[in-house]
Amino acid sequence: MKYYIIAGEASGDLHGSNLIKALKDQDKNADIRCWGGDLMKQAGGSLVKHYKELAFMGFLEVVLNLNAIFKNIKFCKQDIAFFQPDAIIFIDYSGFNLRISKWAKEHNFLTNYYISPQIWASREGRIEKIKATIDHMYVILPFEKEFYETKHNFPVNFVGHPLLDAISNRSELNEATFRSTNNIDSNKPIIALLPGSRKQEVQKMLSLMLSLTSDFSEYEFVIAGAPSLDKEFYASFLKDANVKFIQNKTYDLLSVSTAALVTSGTATLETALFKVPQVVCYKANWVSYQIAKRIITLEYISLVNLIMQKEVVKELIQDDFTKQNLKKEITSILDGKARAKQLAAYDELITKLGGSGASAIAASLIIENTKNN
């Protein structure tokens, strides 16, 4: 069968790649065309558009790039019509995907949504568009099933979180080799810096994160470079001898880190699954933040706290994201009771997420639903 998959950012590329592997494993004749990244291409998808061309963060940035966005939407519709897939699979990236889903439904394509838009966080009214345009939804967070089915009378399948598979399937890392290969001090414990995957995020987050290096000279600070950004982009941040840089090795870095400073997003959950104590950080431009805080109804912004429904990791948002606060919070999780408490909560979090096999379960359901369509 023919599948058309649309992902628009690095996390979607990761989950999309594992879904592609599962589809190909279960459907030997799977022909997959996709929007995504290098991982989806390596998994066997025919890559139409790379997410590097699609990554616009924040309300203001979206407005400034509307022309490019509308061109991409038009091209996507044309490409789907050309390919004539048996099923379309949307992965998160709701602003774009819900526009395509409306068109797709009007043209009688089977629509699947894997990894729900976060309508439980903001613009809950989008549920009506989802009900009207999505045939099958596969959710990865335990509270989402109740949100959709109990609150909105929309049946969904909870398949578990694909990050559990992505992490458990990794080969064991030799820390000494990793440190040597990446010129990281063999004796200093590592503080990982995960400043985001978009230029706007990194520019706002990384300088302040790096302001701590002189206060923690006994630690090695290592920046996790996003696959969506070129190494040259990070050059201006690498002036301190106490700072190292790696790219496309975030999981390797987390597996050997003592603590982490993490920009809010999927990375907060990834960090927790590697059992690395963390401080969650977020800062947007003033206009985007003022709009966001008026429409986002959540008590927390990190997936860790949302899933646990309590504060497990400290969140430093906007004006609270200062050097003084950052220093205080990172100090608290380097040792002592706060560190032990966070690590214990991570164990509970992993239990809540369910077992492994999310990608295979989702693929099986998609294939079954496509055959029965």
Side-chain angles (χ1 to χ4, degrees):
M1 291 188 290
K2 297 166 71 175
Y3 308 90
Y4 199 101
I5 306 176
I6 306 173
E9 51 198 357
S11 61
D13 182 36
L14 171 63
H15 301 322
S17 69
N18 288 323
L19 181 65
I20 288 172
K21 291 173 187 175
L23 285 169
K24 284 185 167 290
D25 183 56
Q26 297 180 41
D27 178 1
K28 302 304 181 185
N29 296 314
D31 183 4
I32 301 171
R33 196 165 172 83
C34 60
W35 292 46
D38 299 337
L39 295 176
M40 292 173 74
K41 183 177 180 180
Q42 290 165 12
S46 298
L47 190 63
V48 179
K49 183 84 71 169
H50 201 288
Y51 66 78
K52 288 182 181 180
E53 302 177 52
L54 311 172
F56 305 113
M57 185 197 77
F59 299 97
L60 183 59
E61 289 78 11
V62 168
V63 170
L64 294 175
N65 289 281
L66 278 176
N67 188 49
I69 292 169
F70 285 130
K71 282 184 178 179
N72 284 331
I73 289 171
K74 181 179 179 180
F75 171 70
C76 185
K77 292 175 181 178
Q78 291 172 338
D79 198 58
I80 292 171
F82 164 77
F83 186 59
Q84 287 293 306
D86 296 293
I88 300 174
I89 305 164
F90 304 106
I91 300 179
D92 200 358
Y93 196 47
S94 62
F96 187 92
N97 277 334
L98 286 178
R99 287 179 178 272
I100 299 298
S101 69
K102 181 177 184 296
W103 172 89
K105 195 63 182 172
E106 290 170 350
H107 288 77
N108 299 315
F109 289 106
L110 182 70
T111 55
N112 300 267
Y113 221 123
Y114 177 49
I115 305 179
S116 160
Q118 295 179 353
I119 67 170
W120 36 265
S122 65
R123 293 179 289 159
E124 194 170 330
R126 288 178 291 172
I127 184 62
E128 298 306 324
K129 183 175 288 188
I130 289 172
K131 283 183 171 183
T133 66
I134 301 301
D135 295 309
H136 304 285
M137 174 79 79
Y138 316 95
V139 300
I140 63 172
L141 298 172
F143 62 80
E144 290 179 318
K145 186 171 178 65
E146 181 180 1
F147 172 83
Y148 278 108
E149 295 189 342
T150 303
K151 188 173 184 179
H152 291 293
N153 194 32
F154 182 65
V156 300
N157 293 282
F158 173 59
V159 297
H161 206 293
L163 280 181
L164 292 171
D165 295 335
I167 291 171
S168 65
N169 291 339
R170 295 177 67 254
S171 300
E172 187 173 350
L173 180 73
N174 183 296
E175 182 173 350
T177 302
F178 174 79
R179 285 176 176 267
S180 175
T181 302
N182 293 286
N183 194 31
I184 297 172
D185 192 299
S186 61
N187 298 312
K188 289 183 176 182
I190 294 170
I191 295 177
L193 306 180
L194 281 63
S197 59
R198 301 178 178 96
K199 284 186 178 180
Q200 301 99 318
E201 284 180 322
V202 177
Q203 288 165 341
K204 285 186 168 59
M205 309 301 299
L206 192 49
S207 293
L208 187 52
M209 289 179 174
L210 289 171
S211 69
L212 298 181
T213 56
S214 60
D215 295 305
F216 296 90
S217 57
E218 69 274 29
Y219 291 86
E220 190 92 292
F221 286 76
V222 183
I223 301 168
S228 55
L229 301 174
D230 296 328
K231 184 177 180 180
E232 290 72 25
F233 170 75
Y234 294 92
S236 63
F237 299 104
L238 302 175
K239 298 172 183 177
D240 193 320
N242 197 31
V243 178
K244 297 297 188 294
F245 174 85
I246 64 168
Q247 193 159 28
N248 298 333
K249 297 178 183 177
T250 300
Y251 283 8
D252 289 348
L253 173 60
L254 287 173
S255 72
V256 298
S257 293
T258 296
L261 304 179
V262 186
T263 295
S264 178
T266 303
T268 64
L269 184 56
E270 292 171 317
T271 303
L273 294 180
F274 276 98
K275 299 187 177 181
V276 180
Q278 64 182 297
V279 181
V280 175
C281 314
Y282 181 77
K283 189 166 189 174
N285 72 61
W286 187 86
V287 173
S288 294
Y289 177 70
Q290 293 302 316
I291 295 172
K293 76 176 186 177
R294 286 164 172 77
I295 66 171
I296 293 176
T297 58
L298 299 175
E299 187 174 355
Y300 305 109
I301 64 168
S302 69
L303 282 173
V304 176
N305 291 344
L306 286 168
I307 293 167
M308 294 297 291
Q309 298 182 327
K310 63 181 180 180
E311 185 182 80
V312 170
V313 297
K314 186 66 177 181
E315 299 178 353
L316 298 178
I317 306 170
Q318 206 68 7
D319 293 339
D320 289 333
F321 180 51
T322 65
K323 180 180 179 180
Q324 181 180 4
N325 288 340
L326 208 53
K327 182 179 179 180
K328 174 188 173 185
E329 298 302 333
I330 194 69
T331 299
S332 75
I333 61 169
L334 288 174
D335 54 47
K337 291 182 179 179
R339 179 180 182 86
K341 184 178 179 181
Q342 200 171 118
L343 288 171
Y346 284 169
D347 290 335
E348 187 181 344
L349 169 74
I350 292 170
T351 300
K352 277 181 172 283
L353 287 174
S356 59
S359 302
I361 294 168
S364 176
L365 290 168
I366 289 168
I367 291 169
E368 180 184 350
N369 289 328
T370 303
K371 287 179 177 178
N372 294 334
N373 183 46

